[in-house]
Amino acid sequence: MEILMSIIVGILFMVGTYMILTKSLLRVVLGLILLSHGAHLLLLTMAGLQRGTPPLLSLGSEAYADPLPQALILTAIVISFGVTSFLLVLAYRTYKEHKTDDLDQLRGSADE
């Protein structure tokens, strides 16, 4: 299962990097979203698949699951949601202001 997750993480990083290198501003934002999802899956995969009960002291169990990776991923999801919404608003304002999302046209010329 961890090998499959590692392959999926690699594919997400590959597609995200490809989309960041395109000329469309919306594709750059979508590439950053894919990179953040790849980072979330990477954190989950590196923590390992652990089977056990929740770490509650009232439950008498031999093995407990580690809650730290899930807490880190949840925090990373919230942060990436905030960054994604900010980037989408920024891209929308840029499109409304300049009437294009092509990064070559947004760059301008050397005379400006």
Side-chain angles (χ1 to χ4, degrees):
M1 185 67 171
E2 290 178 356
I3 292 178
L4 178 65
M5 293 287 278
S6 299
I7 291 170
I8 291 172
V9 166
I11 290 171
L12 283 175
F13 278 139
M14 179 180 59
V15 173
T17 304
Y18 175 76
M19 289 184 78
I20 284 177
L21 296 175
T22 59
K23 293 182 180 181
S24 174
L25 191 59
L26 187 60
R27 286 188 183 186
V28 170
V29 173
L30 290 176
L32 287 172
I33 292 170
L34 286 177
L35 280 178
S36 68
H37 287 318
H40 300 155
L41 281 177
L42 181 66
L43 282 173
L44 187 64
T45 304
M46 291 300 112
L49 180 62
Q50 298 175 355
R51 298 187 187 267
T53 60
L56 301 174
L57 296 178
S58 63
L59 301 175
S61 178
E62 297 294 324
Y64 291 110
D66 187 17
L68 185 62
Q70 287 87 6
L72 286 174
I73 292 168
L74 184 62
T75 305
I77 288 171
V78 170
I79 291 170
S80 68
F81 177 72
V83 169
T84 300
S85 61
F86 175 70
L87 287 175
L88 284 174
V89 168
L90 205 64
Y92 178 71
R93 278 297 288 164
T94 303
Y95 179 75
K96 288 296 244 183
E97 201 62 37
H98 298 285
K99 303 288 188 235
T100 184
D101 70 338
D102 188 14
L103 291 176
D104 285 338
Q105 292 177 358
L106 290 172
R107 183 176 298 138
S109 64
D111 298 335
E112 295 177 334

